[in-house]
Amino acid sequence: MDKKLVYSLNEGSSEMTEILGEKGANLAEMTKIGIPVPFGFTISTEACSRFYENGGKMDPAVRAEICAKVSELEDVTGKNLGDPENPLLLAVRGSAPVPMNGALKTILNLGLNRDTVNALEKMTGDKRFALNNMLDFLASYSSLVMGVDEDKFIDLYTQKSGQFCTDKDDLLSIGELEDLEEEYRNLIHEETGADVPEDPIEQLENGILALLRQWMSPDVVSYRKIRQIPDEPGEAITVQAMVYGNAGSSSGTGVVLSRDPTSGEKRLYGEFMINAKGSDMQRGIRTPMELSIMGAAFPDVYDRLKHICEILETQYRDLQYAEFTVQKGKLYILQTRRGRRTAQAAVRTAVDMVSENLIDRKTAVLRIDPVSIENLLAPRFDPEQEKDAKVIAEGIEASPGCACGRLVFSAEQALQLHQIGEPVILVQKDTDAEDLAGIYASAGIVTQRGATTSHASGAARAMGKACVTSVGDDLEIADDLNSMQAGDKTYYRGEYISINGFRGRVYEGQIHMIPPDLSGDFGKIMGWADEFRTMKVRTNANTPEEAKQGMDFGAEGIGLCRSEHMFYQGNRLQLFQRMILTEDPEKRREVMEEIKQIQRADYYEIFTVMEGFPVSIRLLDLPLQDFLPDSRRELAAFAEEADLSVGSVQRVADSLRENNPMLGRRGCRLCIMHPEIAEMQTEAIISAAIEAEEKMKRQVDLEIVVPLVISVHELNTVKEVISRTAQKVMKESGHKIEYRIGSMLEVPRACMRADALAESVDTFSFGTNDLTQMMYGLSRSDTAGLISEYIDQGIFPNDPFKTIDREGVGKMMQRAITLGRRVKPNLRLGVCGAQTGDQDSVQFFQEIGINYVSCSPFRVPVARLAAAQAAIRLGSGKDE
Ligand code: PEP
Ligand code: MG
């Protein structure tokens, strides 16, 4: 049987998004469960693929099926396309399998021509209504099908009325509307040399072709690229009988969410506009009323809407977003989809839905986007400072979060500053799909116009950015986009402002941030995640403070303590430099003793913070050169301050300089060239552990990790230094402690020799930063620009330093695991590169049998959740 290409709305289900697009599939589902949806049909994504396979021509089979569906629609509605007495008028909308945020356009009132507009007037007894719909049709059709700039229609309307959209529906007289229709038609003719066809069938065919073409238009392609939406399977097109929200005072249009998308509270949330159409809502030009106010004016419709939301939630078992139209008191649902929500609302909704028996706990855990919870972990403004900060504008709290950044007034300016690493706050009149890259690059967004459902708000929520909208006249942006006026003060581009998306406020200057609250529903979800999780999550921590932060976020140990990072604070750097640059052995020993005491104190504190959880301390791994003063002048100044001879300091420095330090004397190579450093560190670690055990009266779970290992001889050489020194310290103190030795796996050769290495150690810790750097031959510190260019050109699917490269680096890890576990089945495996904070990578680590991941403290909850989700998805999670 030939493949079906066009589906009536009573022929599909929500499972069919790949075929019917998200909109078409959900309309079909609603039709199936008896929700009032205007009847129609959906042209499948398969038809879109055929259109492109046919070189941009409509497949005759698709055309034939569309004709049949139009006839069916005519039968169901009792109206006919082009009928001068009772015309069928259509809404034609594009939709993809995933939400496209308004990037795909719509044609409304298709089927109107000089005859049918008269019929519309006769049927409704309202000429103004008929003319307004004609204007909508001319603008939406000619902009999409004929390429006329839609703003030009807005200009014409504004010239006539003084404003584009208004609460007064009698702003233009009938005569003026008739004139405007002619002006619209003249504009179309002047711009294109052609007219809008009168024949509704021709209109429909042209409209469908234009909607199919828009899938590959530059704007839509770039939108897909930003959101990483694949080209396949393409766009579906839904054709429905028109219903009118602009049919008088008992009509209107609105959007509803079944729960509050900001807090997650269980109450209807949304907006409604009387006598208006959907595009009026989206433009946010008229101020809509809150749904609760609509409830007082239209109690029956409100009750029905509430009932429908309950049905939708039961059907979809999730927070739903729906668009609706009320036509002369009758309610229609025009689309429904999973409602976007803030991280806070996602957590509350998931927890509440478990207690309402709508979902189980595993589903609740899977519902939370691990990356989004970083929002909850994000610091907020210090209330003391916020209290005193100068408020320069107030608006609607459109997307939660707090942000400080430099003022910019266009997406382009945002991108420029973002590229040089500056945080920016984008302030615009409003935003549309073309601003998405700018919104993405910004820390926060402020718009003069808009509502919680308008473009900027939706996009900001989706990207987890703070957003304040509808600040109105509080801010006046200068035409040259270089400054804005707020009250009597001018703020220039580049100046700092702060915004609070929880409170809808814009402040002058920068405000100090404080840490978040992690109890309540968040704590519950994380608790459930921990129950299902099988992989451990540790934190990378170099100081006692970081260790504490990681533990507060739920870490189960330290997976990586980078010893060299201890020397970046205060005057420690100078001490370290003295250790490297002092030639005289006696003086050098004195400095090393001082350093040892500092390290010992740090390690001691770390052990006591960790209260017996595992701590992996890595021996020093940094090219010594990185600790040297940069210039000769600085070297001389250093020598003078340290009371060393300039000549000797320069001699040592010269001997340490390397052309390629990342591939030079670093990692365990340092320990071999300078065994006294490894000895000093081991003494510090072991003596701190002894002291901590005595103080805590419990065992320290210690592992000493050897960095950047290449060969088993190298590993054993360092291991011998560690063991000998540890023995000596234990003997001197009379206190024996247990400790393990681990090897970092960061060099491809080490992975290939993992069987030999496994004979010597108990743990492998994959350093996926270096492993990626060495396998790609790409510097981890200098190639961000190159990598983003490669991603733009489609050469790399993503940044391998952020998401593990399963096919290359991942394969190497798997090889090492197989070799290592063959020798030592219980070999403990950890990963501590930056990819451990990434959801996909965590899933991969679960798949290949890693025992723990270790990430920066702020990423610990992300990794806990991602690990739980991976375990649930792979069926390896513990049961409820
Ligand atoms: C690594 O290489 O992945 C690693 C954790 O070590 P560092 O980032 O300190 O080189
Ligand atoms: Mg490394």
Side-chain angles (χ1 to χ4, degrees):
M1 208 179 90
D2 285 346
K3 202 162 189 178
K4 193 169 169 62
L5 299 161
V6 185
Y7 294 72
S8 296
L9 286 189
N10 56 8
E11 290 181 321
S13 77
S14 57
E15 310 281 288
M16 294 169 66
T17 51
E18 289 285 306
I19 301 168
L20 302 177
E22 191 200 35
K23 205 173 275 176
N26 287 328
L27 285 170
E29 183 76 24
M30 288 196 287
T31 307
K32 193 170 78 184
I33 60 173
I35 287 184
V37 166
F39 196 62
F41 57 88
T42 298
I43 303 163
S44 66
T45 51
E46 172 68 23
C48 179
S49 305
R50 290 201 186 183
F51 171 78
Y52 284 102
E53 280 157 23
N54 282 351
K57 289 204 194 73
M58 176 95 81
D59 185 319
V62 176
R63 184 180 286 113
E65 284 194 41
I66 292 174
C67 287
K69 294 298 177 192
V70 169
S71 301
E72 183 190 9
L73 183 52
E74 288 178 333
D75 287 347
V76 171
T77 56
K79 296 168 190 262
N80 290 316
L81 259 190
D83 185 338
E85 298 299 324
N86 189 16
L88 173 64
L89 299 174
L90 302 173
V92 188
R93 301 182 170 95
S95 146
V98 291
M100 292 285 288
N101 232 340
L104 298 179
K105 300 234 161 75
T106 292
I107 304 176
L108 294 177
N109 288 300
L110 192 141
L112 273 185
N113 58 24
R114 291 185 197 270
D115 292 332
T116 53
V117 74
N118 292 331
L120 189 61
E121 177 196 337
K122 252 191 250 151
M123 283 155 58
T124 57
D126 187 344
K127 186 158 190 168
R128 181 174 288 110
F129 168 73
L131 285 167
N132 268 320
N133 284 314
M134 182 53 132
L135 294 179
D136 280 344
F137 167 62
L138 291 173
S140 63
Y141 178 91
S142 67
S143 64
L144 181 73
V145 179
M146 304 164 82
V148 182
D149 180 356
E150 212 171 352
D151 286 347
K152 295 197 172 164
F153 296 107
I154 296 179
D155 289 346
L156 282 179
Y157 197 104
T158 315
Q159 277 161 25
K160 205 157 243 52
S161 65
Q163 51 189 300
F164 177 63
C165 211
T166 166
D167 281 327
K168 288 196 219 130
D169 62 356
D170 56 356
L171 191 73
L172 292 178
S173 69
I174 287 178
E176 283 172 322
L177 285 170
E178 284 172 335
D179 290 349
L180 205 52
E181 181 186 339
E182 278 322 295
E183 286 171 30
Y184 272 29
R185 290 185 184 279
N186 292 341
L187 171 71
I188 295 166
H189 196 87
E190 276 161 27
E191 296 278 319
T192 66
D195 297 315
V196 172
E198 288 285 289
D199 176 6
I201 300 287
E202 196 183 335
Q203 291 174 1
L204 183 59
E205 171 140 0
N206 290 348
I208 291 170
L209 287 172
L211 283 164
L212 290 171
R213 266 183 230 116
Q214 73 170 342
W215 186 246
M216 282 297 165
S217 68
D219 281 355
V220 175
V221 169
S222 104
Y223 178 84
R224 283 207 301 276
K225 208 164 167 186
I226 292 175
R227 304 300 301 269
Q228 298 184 339
I229 298 171
D231 291 350
E232 296 296 333
E235 180 178 350
I237 296 167
T238 299
V239 179
Q240 279 176 289
M242 281 291 299
V243 286
Y244 293 97
N246 57 342
S249 57
S250 61
S251 303
T253 188
V255 296
V256 61
L257 286 119
S258 55
R259 300 182 190 222
D260 185 326
T262 304
S263 66
E265 189 190 336
K266 191 171 182 189
R267 65 173 181 111
L268 284 201
Y269 178 94
E271 286 154 348
F272 183 69
M273 245 185 220
I274 293 179
N275 195 15
K277 41 196 192 302
S279 54
D280 295 339
M281 286 283 288
Q282 276 156 16
R283 287 197 185 104
I285 295 173
R286 272 165 64 182
T287 306
M289 62 172 79
E290 271 186 32
L291 220 50
S292 49
I293 300 174
M294 174 243 186
F298 299 88
D300 292 349
V301 177
Y302 184 83
D303 286 348
R304 185 130 177 72
L305 192 60
K306 201 162 163 214
H307 181 58
I308 286 176
C309 281
E310 276 161 20
I311 297 176
L312 289 175
E313 273 207 352
T314 311
Q315 188 69 12
Y316 287 92
R317 297 179 182 270
D318 203 352
L319 187 163
Q320 287 302 114
Y321 162 96
E323 293 178 7
F324 65 93
T325 283
V326 181
Q327 175 176 289
K328 295 198 183 296
K330 184 163 169 27
L331 176 66
Y332 293 92
I333 307 295
L334 297 188
Q335 85 154 301
T336 188
R337 60 173 152 78
R338 187 180 171 274
R340 280 205 215 110
R341 65 210 79 177
T342 63
Q344 191 187 341
V347 168
R348 176 159 176 189
T349 301
V351 171
D352 286 353
M353 284 191 168
V354 169
S355 37
E356 291 161 29
N357 285 326
L358 278 176
I359 57 174
D360 61 17
R361 295 192 322 196
K362 279 190 179 167
T363 310
V365 168
L366 289 172
R367 282 276 167 85
I368 315 296
D369 171 8
V371 177
S372 80
I373 62 162
E374 270 189 278
N375 275 345
L376 298 179
L377 310 175
R380 289 156 193 246
F381 289 145
D382 175 348
E384 283 308 305
Q385 276 206 13
E386 186 172 11
K387 188 164 63 81
D388 298 331
K390 179 174 172 185
V391 178
I392 57 176
E394 280 190 84
I396 297 174
E397 55 276 27
S399 176
C402 293
C404 302
R406 295 185 185 277
L407 252 181
V408 290
F409 301 101
S410 71
E412 206 185 335
Q413 293 174 4
L415 287 167
Q416 275 168 5
L417 271 190
H418 175 70
Q419 261 159 18
I420 55 168
E422 292 284 348
V424 295
I425 305 284
L426 176 62
V427 180
Q428 291 201 158
K429 277 203 169 58
D430 52 19
T431 68
D432 60 26
E434 282 158 27
D435 298 313
L436 280 170
I439 295 175
Y440 194 67
S442 304
I445 298 100
V446 179
T447 62
Q448 282 182 286
R449 299 194 299 222
T452 47
T453 43
S454 53
H455 182 269
S457 321
R461 275 201 298 275
M463 297 182 199
K465 313 273 178 182
C467 178
V468 176
T469 186
S470 193
V471 295
D473 298 338
D474 285 5
L475 299 179
E476 190 55 49
I477 302 169
D479 290 343
D480 64 1
L481 302 184
N482 269 320
S483 64
M484 69 179 189
Q485 190 72 25
D488 52 7
K489 197 160 168 191
T490 307
Y491 295 86
Y492 292 93
R493 179 174 155 189
E495 269 184 55
Y496 264 101
I497 61 166
S498 300
I499 68 168
N500 186 335
F502 298 105
R503 302 179 70 188
R505 292 202 174 157
V506 182
Y507 299 98
E508 182 177 287
Q510 278 175 289
I511 304 176
H512 181 247
M513 307 264 201
I514 54 159
D517 172 21
L518 302 175
S519 54
D521 290 338
F522 179 80
K524 244 185 209 161
I525 281 277
M526 294 310 294
W528 295 339
D530 289 344
E531 280 171 32
F532 302 131
R533 180 162 61 84
T534 53
M535 192 160 60
K536 298 267 180 209
V537 176
R538 299 198 200 169
T539 185
N540 293 348
N542 310 317
T543 61
E545 295 73 33
E546 285 175 3
K548 167 128 190 21
Q549 179 81 83
M551 291 305 278
D552 288 348
F553 283 149
E556 297 158 300
I558 293 180
L560 175 65
C561 174
R562 293 173 163 105
S563 298
E564 62 280 1
H565 284 246
M566 292 177 165
F567 292 93
Y568 288 138
Q569 336 159 7
N571 67 352
R572 291 177 171 197
L573 178 62
Q574 219 220 16
L575 205 59
F576 203 78
Q577 289 171 330
R578 275 176 49 208
M579 176 180 84
I580 303 167
L581 294 168
T582 303
E583 272 185 315
D584 177 65
E586 191 49 39
K587 276 195 185 159
R588 191 138 181 264
R589 238 189 313 277
E590 276 169 29
V591 180
M592 283 182 62
E593 185 56 32
E594 228 180 300
I595 289 182
K596 186 171 87 185
Q597 293 313 332
I598 290 176
Q599 288 217 304
R600 184 178 189 279
D602 278 355
Y603 292 138
Y604 169 77
E605 261 196 76
I606 287 176
F607 292 137
T608 48
V609 167
M610 297 308 292
E611 292 179 332
F613 279 96
V615 179
S616 296
I617 298 177
R618 186 179 72 184
L619 296 182
L620 208 64
D621 171 18
L622 204 77
L624 291 185
Q625 171 172 319
D626 279 17
F627 282 100
L628 298 182
D630 281 341
S631 65
R632 294 220 152 232
R633 223 183 45 218
E634 283 171 278
L635 264 180
F638 165 80
E640 194 172 327
E641 202 168 315
D643 197 20
L644 296 169
S645 117
V646 178
S648 110
V649 163
Q650 279 179 349
R651 202 168 37 251
V652 182
D654 286 345
S655 76
L656 291 175
R657 298 228 186 265
E658 295 170 314
N659 283 333
N660 202 343
M662 280 307 259
L663 297 179
R665 221 173 324 176
R666 57 173 287 220
C668 65
R669 303 160 203 172
L670 253 187
C671 304
I672 290 174
M673 308 292 284
H674 302 274
E676 70 282 10
I677 297 183
E679 281 164 15
M680 177 273 287
Q681 271 201 286
T682 308
E683 279 179 28
I685 295 167
I686 300 290
S687 56
I690 290 171
E691 192 185 340
E693 284 198 354
E694 282 168 355
K695 158 96 190 306
M696 294 190 299
K697 306 264 179 287
R698 67 190 299 175
Q699 259 191 306
V700 166
D701 186 341
L702 169 65
E703 184 163 75
I704 299 178
V705 184
V706 184
L708 220 76
V709 169
I710 311 172
S711 85
V712 68
H713 292 301
E714 193 187 32
L715 176 61
N716 286 342
T717 308
V718 180
K719 201 178 149 190
E720 193 278 321
V721 175
I722 298 171
S723 309
R724 176 171 33 85
T725 314
Q727 255 340 94
K728 188 187 94 185
V729 178
M730 287 190 253
K731 198 163 165 209
E732 279 167 11
S733 70
H735 184 128
K736 193 170 173 329
I737 61 158
E738 300 287 325
Y739 70 98
R740 296 180 302 276
I741 296 187
S743 169
M744 295 289 292
L745 256 62
E746 307 174 89
V747 180
R749 187 178 192 284
C751 293
M752 299 308 285
R753 297 286 293 135
D755 42 357
L757 298 181
E759 307 265 9
S760 294
V761 291
D762 305 304
T763 308
F764 283 166
S765 176
F766 286 97
T768 44
N769 301 329
D770 272 311
L771 193 55
T772 303
Q773 165 167 265
M774 301 212 190
M775 287 192 64
Y776 274 70
L778 272 180
S779 162
R780 58 193 264 192
S781 26
D782 308 312
T783 43
L786 182 134
I787 288 173
S788 58
E789 182 66 39
Y790 266 40
I791 294 170
D792 282 352
Q793 289 197 29
I795 297 172
F796 283 177
N798 45 36
D799 182 344
F801 289 105
K802 293 194 180 129
T803 303
I804 196 78
D805 157 42
R806 288 174 176 242
E807 288 151 15
V809 179
K811 285 247 164 68
M812 181 65 86
M813 293 172 75
Q814 282 174 288
R815 179 84 190 126
I817 294 170
T818 309
L819 290 173
R821 286 216 164 127
R822 201 178 285 159
V823 170
K824 209 172 251 179
N826 291 331
L827 190 69
R828 197 188 317 212
L829 301 169
V831 182
C832 55
Q835 296 89 341
T836 48
D838 169 76
Q839 190 179 1
D840 279 355
S841 311
V842 169
Q843 162 116 5
F844 177 71
F845 300 145
Q846 171 90 21
E847 283 169 26
I848 63 174
I850 294 290
N851 300 104
Y852 70 87
V853 289
S854 185
C855 51
S856 62
F858 265 95
R859 287 271 162 122
V860 166
V862 178
R864 282 164 65 199
L865 195 52
Q869 294 183 349
I872 295 170
R873 283 199 193 102
L874 295 169
S876 49
K878 296 177 203 149
D879 282 331
E880 270 185 52

